[in-house]
Amino acid sequence: MEHKHTYDENGKQLCCTPQEGKIYKNAGAKKLVEEDGDRIPKKKKEEHQHSDDDGHDHGETDKTAFQMFLPAIISLVLLLIGIALDNYIKPEWFKDWVRIVWYGVAYLPVGLPVLKEAFESIKQGDVFSEFFLMSIATIGAFIIGEFPEGVAVMLFYAVGEVFQTLAVSRAKTNIKALLDQRPDEVTIIENNQPKKIKAAEAKIGDTIQLKSGEKLALDGELISDSASFNTAALTGESKPDSKNKGETVLAGMINMNSVALVKVNTAYEDSKLSKILELVQNATAQKAPTELFIRKFARIYTPIVVALAVLICIVPYFFVDDYVFRDWLYRALIFLVISCPCALVISIPLGYFGGIGAASRNGILFKGSNFLDKIAEIQNVVMDKTGTMTEGVFKVQDVTIEEEFDKDEILQLVNVVESKSTHPVATAVHEFVGEINNSINLEDTEEIAGHGLKARANGKEILVGNFKLLDKFNISYDVDPSKIVYTVIAIAYDGKFAGFITIADRIKDDAKQAVEKLHSLNVKATMLSGDKTTVVKYVAEQIGIDNAFGDLLPEDKVNKVKEIKARNESVAFVGDGVNDAPVVALSDVGIAMGGLGSDATIETADVVIQDDKPSKIPMAINIGKKTKRIVWQNIILAFVVKAIVLVLGAGGLATMWEAVFADVGVALIAILNAVRIQRMKF
């Protein structure tokens, strides 16, 4: 049975860990990476924290930077004093057990959390963790009398862990900001009086009162005359969005001026924001192949390294004449310190997490880090026209009705028939004709996919759709549809051609710029649409698209994408309609326009563009490319440096200090490289 995630009333995931972590809990990063606290239902959290025998760490995780660095500061001070006493002051009393105790005390603040984590990992069956490696390496250093180096290795490791914690925390800031956008309470108007209730208790039909500066908790319809909203949390767009009476407003929008009234039209759990939160919370559960490989690699690599360290210590005994156990043990310990895979284990997930965070800040939602990898390799972007590259807001341009028909009667009939459709064309007709004539009795209404609508009115058959619909029912007409540039609604009534209505849609402002950027990324652009070929070709010419095909049924779009995939080329499909869901599912990366997009398409898509801007398509590809580049830079850096120092360590040419650089130094460089993506402009 397929696992379904469960969440509490605040949208926190209850059932399982969204992302595994590796940073010891005292640094506070385990909570950030693993969301450890989020696995526990709210009601049980207090008893979980105060139970003494649950086997979990009880260290504080909500610490300031100073508190997190304090153990390292204490160890550093004691270590520096110890080195000064050893090498410069050289008092008589600083030797034997006094010297051991001094360095032991210096070791404890940074060593105890790691020793504890090593013990916990062994109890859970994970023997060869990096905590175990660091523990045996530093304890081994103490055993052979290298006290300062044992303390130094653990000290630098602890400092590295704190920096990792801070890096992960920074990476989560963008996503946490998004998760905080849903208010817990709303003010509804009940019996003409304002009343505060929990947002989850608000029902469809309730009227929400939204004061200036307040966030909307549910999707609804604006019933005030007008209002201005900050939509940055949803779209990444800082420019205020003005809405008029009757327009849709979404959860997460912030009212910017006077009090606004909103009628709830969507249940709390079904709002666009709720779906977005679910996407974000589950995003890190979908691992990229690189990330999965590194995890598997670390599980195999670490035991092999431990075995090699043992061999480095023992095997020379049989081949080296002047074998000294202490020297070869020291080399084995250096080998262990260098071998820790922390640079890979933390920097790679952090790189992907940074990519997801950077994308969400720009109004692009990736449903998993695997899609960052996939989108980076995309060779073709196939897109729908209406609502994707055009506004999806149609206006009637011209009405041509045959002389034998009454123009007003035909328009009234078309208005009633189109009221059964959700297509933007229907809205354009309604705006042009006006109120629906309820005295017209409509029967046997049927939507024919890719063609239009068929119904019976006044006992006669009426067809409203494209000219293919008329062809399907053998209606003859004396018009050449190929010579009409605009979108056309063809009409037939009582078995005869009654006329047509031309409708125009506006190309989005950034559509041309989006195609130019795709070309600069060596990505081919193709447009597929159910709209008539002349309109599709016209739009394609205006924005510079390579190939364009019109008059397509949903299955034709699927076949066109299959043709591209048959050439062994990767495809991303961008769409917004219900009919686009099959082709979105077929493509390597499905991209949905989240503003106007249907729930079915958003659900099926791998990437959601929240503000419907075409320019976000190349931006998403660019984020994927830069994320992948950073991840591979970290992998190569870690492997090259570690390989060099491993060889030097095994040959006795590297000390513990080089080992510390190869482990902690490389990890810090990789982390700093990974967090770069959050500062990049796309």
Side-chain angles (χ1 to χ4, degrees):
M1 187 175 173
E2 188 184 10
H3 172 70
K4 295 273 188 188
H5 293 299
T6 55
Y7 305 92
D8 68 12
E9 67 272 20
N10 294 317
K12 297 249 186 188
Q13 191 171 323
L14 303 176
C15 56
C16 58
T17 305
Q19 181 178 354
E20 290 179 18
K22 60 111 237 163
I23 302 170
Y24 68 74
K25 294 171 191 168
N26 235 40
K30 191 156 187 174
K31 182 181 177 187
L32 284 166
V33 180
E34 282 194 340
E35 296 285 333
D36 199 32
D38 295 348
R39 289 188 291 180
I40 309 151
K42 221 173 184 180
K43 294 174 184 173
K44 293 186 180 177
K45 219 171 235 189
E46 278 197 343
E47 77 181 73
H48 172 86
Q49 286 171 341
H50 294 97
S51 164
D52 291 321
D53 58 357
D54 58 22
H56 288 272
D57 187 276
H58 296 279
E60 285 292 313
T61 51
D62 298 322
K63 295 180 178 179
T64 63
F66 176 75
Q67 287 172 320
M68 290 164 68
F69 278 111
L70 186 58
I73 292 168
I74 294 168
S75 285
L76 178 62
V77 170
L78 291 172
L79 174 64
L80 292 175
I81 293 170
I83 291 170
L85 292 171
D86 261 339
N87 298 289
Y88 303 105
I89 303 170
K90 299 180 181 177
E92 279 295 313
W93 55 270
F94 194 70
K95 57 186 178 182
D96 301 329
W97 67 268
V98 174
R99 186 166 176 267
I100 295 170
V101 169
W102 185 277
Y103 284 115
V105 171
Y107 178 85
L108 288 177
V110 288
L112 267 181
V114 178
L115 293 171
K116 185 179 178 184
E117 281 298 323
F119 178 69
E120 291 289 335
S121 297
I122 291 167
K123 276 202 325 187
Q124 291 168 18
D126 182 14
V127 176
F128 297 105
S129 65
E130 66 178 271
F131 312 115
F132 176 71
L133 293 185
M134 296 308 295
S135 299
I136 59 173
T138 53
I139 291 169
F142 266 76
I143 289 168
I144 62 174
E146 299 290 346
F147 307 126
E149 291 188 10
V151 175
V153 168
M154 194 59 88
L155 169 62
F156 284 115
Y157 179 72
V159 170
E161 295 297 311
V162 176
F163 276 117
Q164 289 170 16
T165 301
L166 296 173
V168 174
S169 178
R170 187 179 180 87
K172 292 200 72 172
T173 301
N174 296 325
I175 291 176
K176 280 192 171 184
L178 181 65
L179 297 176
D180 288 340
Q181 293 309 312
R182 181 163 53 180
D184 294 326
E185 293 186 327
V186 292
T187 303
I188 63 166
I189 302 297
E190 195 174 273
N191 300 322
N192 293 322
Q193 293 296 318
K195 177 186 175 184
K196 273 197 180 277
I197 62 168
K198 286 191 175 180
E201 293 173 4
K203 299 185 291 293
I204 293 173
D206 282 349
T207 299
I208 294 176
Q209 183 189 71
L210 204 63
K211 294 177 184 173
S212 178
E214 283 187 337
K215 293 171 190 167
L216 185 59
L218 297 95
D219 295 355
E221 178 188 318
L222 185 66
I223 52 179
S224 300
D225 289 334
S226 64
S228 185
F229 292 92
N230 178 339
T231 64
L234 291 171
T235 65
E237 179 62 63
S238 56
K239 185 179 164 188
D241 188 3
S242 296
K243 299 285 184 184
N244 296 315
K245 186 174 183 177
E247 288 193 282
T248 297
V249 285
L250 302 174
M253 290 183 173
I254 302 170
N255 183 22
M256 293 184 67
N257 42 30
S258 55
V259 176
L261 297 177
V262 176
K263 184 179 178 182
V264 177
N265 62 13
T266 308
Y268 181 75
E269 62 274 12
D270 294 330
S271 71
K272 279 266 196 289
L273 183 61
S274 292
K275 292 184 188 303
I276 288 165
L277 298 183
E278 188 170 350
L279 296 186
V280 171
Q281 285 176 312
N282 291 336
T284 50
Q286 298 281 347
K287 303 297 177 193
T290 316
E291 199 172 345
L292 293 171
F293 167 74
I294 290 299
R295 287 188 174 195
K296 289 175 185 173
F297 172 81
R299 287 195 197 106
I300 299 164
Y301 161 86
T302 311
I304 290 172
V305 160
V306 173
L308 287 173
V310 172
L311 292 174
I312 286 170
C313 182
I314 295 169
V315 170
Y317 173 79
F318 301 101
F319 300 98
V320 178
D321 293 333
D322 56 346
Y323 176 82
V324 179
F325 174 74
R326 182 189 177 282
D327 292 347
W328 287 99
L329 177 61
Y330 184 64
R331 292 184 189 188
L333 295 175
I334 291 169
F335 192 85
L336 281 180
V337 173
I338 300 163
S339 69
C340 275
C342 49
L344 297 171
V345 172
I346 187 63
S347 70
I348 289 168
L350 186 60
Y352 283 114
F353 203 85
I356 291 170
S360 71
R361 189 181 68 238
N362 286 284
I364 304 165
L365 298 177
F366 280 87
K367 292 187 181 179
S369 52
N370 52 330
F371 300 119
L372 279 164
D373 263 10
K374 282 186 178 181
I375 205 167
E377 303 299 323
I378 286 300
Q379 297 163 284
N380 295 270
V381 168
V382 178
M383 58 199 75
D384 182 38
K385 179 183 74 69
T386 307
T388 302
M389 303 308 282
T390 63
E391 297 283 1
V393 179
F394 290 86
K395 293 206 179 294
V396 171
Q397 303 297 311
D398 192 27
V399 177
T400 304
I401 302 295
E402 296 292 294
E403 288 181 3
E404 62 183 285
F405 294 96
D406 180 88
K407 181 177 178 180
D408 185 57
E409 181 192 2
I410 294 296
L411 287 175
Q412 291 291 341
L413 286 169
V414 170
N415 197 20
V416 174
V417 172
E418 286 285 10
S419 70
K420 306 300 177 185
S421 170
T422 56
H423 196 279
V425 165
T427 308
V429 171
H430 177 62
E431 284 181 0
F432 181 78
V433 178
E435 289 300 315
I436 291 166
N437 187 344
N438 293 316
S439 65
I440 297 171
N441 185 26
L442 215 60
E443 297 173 340
D444 304 328
T445 305
E446 180 188 349
E447 184 162 1
I448 300 164
H451 291 79
L453 294 154
K454 175 174 82 79
R456 292 190 71 78
N458 306 323
K460 298 173 183 176
E461 187 176 75
I462 182 166
L463 302 172
V464 179
N466 52 33
F467 278 95
K468 284 191 295 181
L469 179 67
L470 272 55
D471 294 337
K472 187 179 177 72
F473 287 89
N474 299 315
I475 305 292
S476 59
Y477 47 86
D478 56 358
V479 174
D480 183 358
S482 64
K483 291 186 177 175
I484 305 170
V485 176
Y486 295 135
T487 300
V488 177
I489 299 175
I491 310 155
Y493 186 51
D494 195 21
K496 296 176 186 174
F497 176 60
F500 62 91
I501 302 170
T502 57
I503 292 176
D505 187 11
R506 186 170 171 270
I507 296 170
K508 288 182 179 177
D509 294 334
D510 60 339
K512 188 173 183 179
Q513 174 198 357
V515 176
E516 287 171 356
K517 284 187 177 176
L518 286 173
H519 287 155
S520 71
L521 292 167
N522 293 318
V523 177
K524 288 174 273 191
T526 302
M527 183 182 283
L528 305 180
S529 177
D531 208 343
K532 55 183 288 194
T533 302
T534 49
V535 178
V536 178
K537 294 278 187 190
Y538 172 76
V539 172
E541 284 170 16
Q542 294 296 306
I543 60 180
I545 280 180
D546 306 308
N547 298 300
F549 303 92
D551 292 308
L552 300 177
L553 299 173
E555 55 266 31
D556 296 327
K557 291 183 181 180
V558 170
N559 291 331
K560 288 288 182 188
V561 170
K562 282 182 177 175
E563 283 175 25
I564 297 172
K565 287 175 75 74
R567 302 197 299 260
N568 290 322
E569 293 181 15
S570 54
V571 183
F573 184 86
V574 192
D576 71 312
V578 177
N579 289 340
D580 293 329
V583 72
V584 164
L586 172 71
S587 57
D588 296 293
V589 178
I591 304 174
M593 291 297 185
L596 289 172
S598 72
D599 288 345
T601 308
I602 292 169
E603 191 109 355
T604 314
D606 309 311
V607 181
V608 179
I609 294 172
Q610 292 171 250
D611 58 3
D612 291 351
K613 288 190 173 179
S615 56
K616 296 291 175 74
I617 302 166
M619 184 185 286
I621 294 171
N622 210 13
I623 290 171
K625 284 182 180 293
K626 289 190 176 179
T627 302
K628 195 168 184 181
R629 189 179 306 141
I630 282 172
V631 164
W632 276 103
Q633 284 170 355
N634 286 346
I635 290 171
I636 293 164
L637 171 76
F639 275 120
V640 170
V641 174
K642 281 181 182 289
I644 293 168
V645 185
L646 277 171
V647 172
L648 293 174
L653 300 173
T655 67
M656 279 279 189
W657 301 105
E658 283 87 355
V660 166
F661 171 75
D663 177 39
V664 179
V666 171
L668 288 178
I669 293 168
I671 288 161
L672 291 172
N673 192 35
V675 299
R676 270 195 316 130
I677 196 165
Q678 295 164 65
R679 296 175 177 271
M680 288 180 179
K681 300 288 182 189
F682 300 101

